[in-house]
Coordinates of all heavy atoms in Angstrom, one line a residue:
A1 N 0.8 -1.2 0.0 CA 0.0 0.0 0.0 C 0.8 1.3 0.0 O 0.3 2.4 0.1 CB -0.9 0.0 1.2
D2 N 2.2 1.2 -0.1 CA 3.0 2.3 0.0 C 2.6 3.3 -1.1 O 2.5 3.0 -2.3 CB 4.5 1.9 -0.2 CG 5.4 3.1 0.0 OD1 5.1 4.0 0.8 OD2 6.5 3.0 -0.5
G3 N 2.4 4.6 -0.7 CA 1.9 5.6 -1.6 C 0.4 5.6 -1.9 O -0.1 6.4 -2.6
G4 N -0.3 4.7 -1.2 CA -1.7 4.6 -1.4 C -2.5 4.5 -0.1 O -2.1 5.1 0.9
T5 N -3.5 3.7 -0.1 CA -4.4 3.5 1.1 C -4.5 2.1 1.6 O -4.6 1.2 0.7 CB -5.8 4.1 0.8 OG1 -5.7 5.4 0.3 CG2 -6.7 4.0 2.0
L6 N -4.4 1.9 2.9 CA -4.5 0.5 3.4 C -5.8 0.5 4.2 O -6.0 1.3 5.2 CB -3.3 0.2 4.3 CG -3.4 -1.1 5.1 CD1 -3.5 -2.3 4.1 CD2 -2.2 -1.3 6.0
F7 N -6.7 -0.4 3.9 CA -8.0 -0.5 4.6 C -8.0 -1.7 5.5 O -7.9 -2.9 5.0 CB -9.1 -0.6 3.5 CG -10.5 -0.9 4.2 CD1 -11.0 -0.1 5.1 CD2 -11.2 -2.0 3.7 CE1 -12.2 -0.3 5.7 CE2 -12.5 -2.3 4.3 CZ -13.0 -1.4 5.3
L8 N -8.1 -1.5 6.8 CA -8.1 -2.6 7.7 C -9.5 -2.8 8.2 O -10.0 -2.0 9.1 CB -7.1 -2.4 8.9 CG -5.6 -2.2 8.5 CD1 -4.8 -2.0 9.8 CD2 -5.2 -3.5 7.7
D9 N -10.2 -3.8 7.8 CA -11.5 -4.1 8.2 C -11.5 -4.9 9.5 O -10.6 -5.7 9.8 CB -12.3 -4.8 7.1 CG -13.8 -4.8 7.3 OD1 -14.3 -4.0 8.2 OD2 -14.5 -5.4 6.5
E10 N -12.6 -4.7 10.3 CA -12.7 -5.4 11.6 C -11.5 -5.2 12.5 O -10.9 -6.2 13.0 CB -13.0 -6.9 11.3 CG -14.2 -7.2 10.4 CD -15.5 -6.7 11.0 OE1 -15.5 -6.3 12.2 OE2 -16.5 -6.7 10.2
I11 N -11.1 -4.0 12.6 CA -9.9 -3.6 13.4 C -10.1 -4.0 14.9 O -9.1 -4.2 15.6 CB -9.5 -2.1 13.2 CG1 -8.1 -1.8 13.8 CG2 -10.6 -1.3 13.8 CD1 -7.0 -2.3 13.1
G12 N -11.4 -4.0 15.3 CA -11.7 -4.3 16.7 C -11.4 -5.8 17.1 O -11.5 -6.1 18.3
D13 N -11.2 -6.6 16.1 CA -11.0 -8.1 16.4 C -9.6 -8.5 16.5 O -9.3 -9.7 16.7 CB -11.7 -8.9 15.3 CG -13.2 -8.8 15.3 OD1 -13.8 -8.9 16.4 OD2 -13.8 -8.6 14.2
I14 N -8.6 -7.6 16.4 CA -7.2 -8.0 16.6 C -6.9 -8.2 18.1 O -7.5 -7.6 18.9 CB -6.2 -7.0 15.9 CG1 -6.3 -5.6 16.6 CG2 -6.5 -6.9 14.5 CD1 -5.3 -4.6 16.1
S15 N -5.9 -9.1 18.3 CA -5.6 -9.5 19.7 C -4.8 -8.3 20.4 O -4.2 -7.5 19.7 CB -4.8 -10.7 19.7 OG -3.5 -10.5 19.1
P16 N -4.9 -8.3 21.7 CA -4.1 -7.3 22.4 C -2.6 -7.3 22.1 O -2.0 -6.2 22.0 CB -4.4 -7.6 23.9 CG -5.7 -8.3 23.9 CD -5.7 -9.1 22.6
A17 N -2.1 -8.5 21.9 CA -0.6 -8.6 21.6 C -0.3 -7.9 20.3 O 0.7 -7.2 20.1 CB -0.2 -10.0 21.6
F18 N -1.2 -8.2 19.3 CA -0.9 -7.6 18.0 C -1.3 -6.1 17.9 O -0.7 -5.4 17.1 CB -1.8 -8.3 16.9 CG -1.4 -8.0 15.5 CD1 -0.2 -8.5 14.9 CD2 -2.1 -7.1 14.7 CE1 0.2 -8.1 13.7 CE2 -1.7 -6.7 13.5 CZ -0.6 -7.3 12.9
Q19 N -2.1 -5.7 18.8 CA -2.4 -4.2 18.9 C -1.1 -3.5 19.2 O -0.9 -2.4 18.7 CB -3.5 -4.0 20.0 CG -4.8 -4.5 19.7 CD -5.8 -4.3 20.9 OE1 -5.6 -3.5 21.7 NE2 -6.8 -5.2 20.9
T20 N -0.3 -4.0 20.1 CA 1.0 -3.4 20.4 C 1.9 -3.2 19.2 O 2.5 -2.2 18.9 CB 1.7 -4.1 21.5 OG1 0.8 -4.3 22.6 CG2 3.0 -3.4 21.9
K21 N 2.0 -4.3 18.4 CA 2.8 -4.3 17.2 C 2.3 -3.3 16.1 O 3.0 -2.5 15.5 CB 2.9 -5.7 16.5 CG 3.5 -6.7 17.4 CD 3.4 -8.1 16.8 CE 4.0 -9.1 17.7 NZ 3.9 -10.5 17.1
L22 N 0.9 -3.2 16.0 CA 0.3 -2.3 15.0 C 0.5 -0.8 15.5 O 0.8 0.0 14.7 CB -1.2 -2.6 14.9 CG -1.9 -1.7 13.9 CD1 -1.4 -1.8 12.5 CD2 -3.4 -2.1 13.9
L23 N 0.4 -0.6 16.8 CA 0.6 0.7 17.3 C 2.0 1.3 17.0 O 2.2 2.4 16.6 CB 0.4 0.8 18.8 CG 0.6 2.1 19.5 CD1 -0.4 3.1 19.0 CD2 0.4 2.0 21.0
R24 N 3.0 0.4 17.1 CA 4.4 0.8 16.9 C 4.6 1.2 15.4 O 5.2 2.2 15.1 CB 5.4 -0.3 17.2 CG 6.8 0.0 16.9 CD 7.7 -1.2 17.2 NE 9.1 -0.9 16.7 CZ 9.5 -1.1 15.5 NH1 8.7 -1.6 14.6 NH2 10.8 -0.8 15.2
V25 N 3.9 0.5 14.5 CA 4.0 0.8 13.1 C 3.4 2.1 12.8 O 3.9 3.0 12.1 CB 3.4 -0.3 12.2 CG1 3.4 0.1 10.8 CG2 4.1 -1.6 12.4
L26 N 2.2 2.4 13.4 CA 1.5 3.6 13.2 C 2.3 4.8 13.7 O 2.2 5.9 13.2 CB 0.1 3.6 13.8 CG -0.8 2.5 13.2 CD1 -2.2 2.6 13.8 CD2 -0.9 2.6 11.7
Q27 N 3.0 4.6 14.9 CA 3.7 5.7 15.5 C 5.0 6.0 14.7 O 5.4 7.1 14.5 CB 4.0 5.4 16.9 CG 2.8 5.4 17.8 CD 3.1 4.9 19.2 OE1 4.1 4.2 19.5 NE2 2.3 5.4 20.2
E28 N 5.8 4.9 14.4 CA 7.1 5.1 13.8 C 7.0 5.2 12.3 O 8.0 5.6 11.7 CB 8.0 3.9 14.2 CG 8.1 3.7 15.7 CD 8.8 4.9 16.4 OE1 9.5 5.6 15.8 OE2 8.5 5.1 17.6
R29 N 5.9 4.8 11.7 CA 5.8 4.7 10.2 C 6.9 3.8 9.6 O 7.3 4.0 8.5 CB 6.0 6.1 9.6 CG 4.9 7.1 10.0 CD 3.6 6.8 9.3 NE 2.5 7.7 9.6 CZ 1.3 7.6 9.1 NH1 1.0 6.7 8.2 NH2 0.3 8.4 9.5
E30 N 7.3 2.8 10.4 CA 8.2 1.8 9.9 C 8.0 0.5 10.6 O 7.4 0.5 11.6 CB 9.7 2.3 10.0 CG 10.2 2.4 11.5 CD 11.6 2.8 11.6 OE1 12.1 3.4 10.6 OE2 12.3 2.4 12.5
F31 N 8.5 -0.6 10.0 CA 8.3 -1.9 10.5 C 9.4 -2.8 10.0 O 10.2 -2.4 9.2 CB 6.9 -2.5 10.1 CG 6.7 -2.6 8.7 CD1 7.0 -3.8 8.0 CD2 6.3 -1.5 7.9 CE1 6.9 -3.9 6.6 CE2 6.1 -1.6 6.5 CZ 6.4 -2.8 5.9
E32 N 9.4 -4.0 10.5 CA 10.3 -5.1 10.0 C 9.5 -6.3 9.6 O 8.5 -6.6 10.2 CB 11.3 -5.4 11.1 CG 12.2 -4.3 11.6 CD 12.8 -4.5 12.9 OE1 12.5 -5.6 13.5 OE2 13.4 -3.6 13.5
R33 N 9.9 -6.9 8.6 CA 9.3 -8.1 8.1 C 9.5 -9.2 9.2 O 10.5 -9.2 9.9 CB 9.8 -8.6 6.8 CG 9.5 -7.7 5.6 CD 10.1 -8.2 4.4 NE 9.8 -7.4 3.2 CZ 10.6 -7.3 2.1 NH1 11.6 -8.1 2.0 NH2 10.2 -6.5 1.1
V34 N 8.6 -10.2 9.2 CA 8.8 -11.3 10.1 C 10.1 -12.0 9.7 O 10.3 -12.4 8.5 CB 7.6 -12.3 9.9 CG1 7.8 -13.5 10.8 CG2 6.3 -11.6 10.3
G35 N 10.9 -12.2 10.7 CA 12.2 -12.9 10.4 C 13.3 -11.9 9.9 O 14.4 -12.3 9.7
G36 N 13.0 -10.6 9.8 CA 13.9 -9.7 9.3 C 14.4 -8.7 10.3 O 13.8 -8.7 11.4
S37 N 15.4 -8.0 10.0 CA 15.9 -7.0 11.0 C 16.1 -5.6 10.4 O 16.4 -4.6 11.0 CB 17.3 -7.4 11.5 OG 18.2 -7.6 10.4
R38 N 15.8 -5.5 9.1 CA 16.0 -4.2 8.4 C 14.7 -3.4 8.5 O 13.6 -3.9 8.0 CB 16.3 -4.5 6.9 CG 16.5 -3.2 6.1 CD 16.9 -3.5 4.7 NE 16.0 -4.5 4.0 CZ 15.0 -4.1 3.3 NH1 14.7 -2.8 3.1 NH2 14.2 -5.0 2.7
P39 N 14.7 -2.2 9.0 CA 13.5 -1.4 9.1 C 13.0 -0.9 7.7 O 13.9 -0.6 6.9 CB 13.8 -0.2 10.0 CG 15.3 -0.1 9.9 CD 15.8 -1.5 9.6
I40 N 11.7 -1.0 7.5 CA 11.2 -0.6 6.2 C 10.2 0.6 6.4 O 9.3 0.5 7.3 CB 10.4 -1.7 5.5 CG1 11.4 -2.9 5.3 CG2 9.8 -1.3 4.2 CD1 10.7 -4.2 4.8
K41 N 10.5 1.7 5.8 CA 9.6 2.9 5.9 C 8.6 2.9 4.8 O 8.9 2.5 3.7 CB 10.4 4.2 5.9 CG 11.2 4.4 7.1 CD 11.8 5.8 7.1 CE 12.5 6.1 8.5 NZ 11.5 6.3 9.5
V42 N 7.3 3.3 5.1 CA 6.3 3.3 4.1 C 5.5 4.6 4.3 O 5.5 5.2 5.4 CB 5.3 2.1 4.3 CG1 6.0 0.9 3.8 CG2 4.8 2.0 5.7
D43 N 4.8 5.0 3.3 CA 3.9 6.2 3.3 C 2.5 5.7 2.9 O 2.2 5.5 1.8 CB 4.4 7.2 2.2 CG 3.4 8.4 2.2 OD1 2.7 8.6 3.1 OD2 3.4 9.1 1.1
V44 N 1.7 5.4 4.0 CA 0.4 4.8 3.8 C -0.6 5.6 4.5 O -0.4 6.1 5.7 CB 0.5 3.4 4.4 CG1 -0.9 2.8 4.4 CG2 1.4 2.5 3.6
R45 N -1.8 5.8 3.9 CA -2.9 6.4 4.5 C -3.8 5.3 5.0 O -4.2 4.4 4.3 CB -3.7 7.3 3.5 CG -4.6 8.4 4.1 CD -6.0 8.0 4.3 NE -6.8 9.0 4.8 CZ -7.4 10.0 4.1 NH1 -7.3 10.0 2.8 NH2 -8.2 10.9 4.7
L46 N -4.1 5.3 6.3 CA -4.8 4.2 6.9 C -6.3 4.5 7.1 O -6.7 5.6 7.6 CB -4.2 3.9 8.3 CG -4.7 2.7 9.0 CD1 -4.3 1.4 8.2 CD2 -4.2 2.6 10.4
V47 N -7.1 3.6 6.6 CA -8.6 3.7 6.9 C -9.0 2.4 7.6 O -8.7 1.3 7.1 CB -9.4 3.8 5.5 CG1 -10.9 3.8 5.8 CG2 -9.0 5.1 4.8
C48 N -9.6 2.5 8.7 CA -10.0 1.3 9.5 C -11.5 1.2 9.6 O -12.2 2.2 9.3 CB -9.4 1.4 10.9 SG -7.6 1.5 11.0

């Protein structure tokens, strides 16, 4: 979704543990792939 829009439906159904991971991405605007260590920056407009 980089440069576009990411639509997350049923956002209220994610687990508390994953809420923490999602919050970090929204705050930092970067994340790491599963099994990776390189931070990846994205420009995404979020609609939930």
Side-chain angles (χ1 to χ4, degrees):
D2 190 26
T5 303
L6 176 61
F7 174 55
L8 297 182
D9 199 5
E10 306 297 350
I11 190 73
D13 291 315
I14 62 176
S15 67
F18 191 75
Q19 291 173 26
T20 304
K21 299 177 182 179
L22 181 60
L23 178 63
R24 177 182 174 275
V25 176
L26 299 183
Q27 289 175 337
E28 305 296 334
R29 296 285 178 178
E30 67 177 28
F31 60 92
E32 296 158 5
R33 291 177 183 159
V34 176
S37 59
R38 178 175 58 90
I40 300 173
K41 286 188 173 291
V42 290
D43 176 22
V44 173
R45 202 264 181 87
L46 189 65
V47 178
C48 302

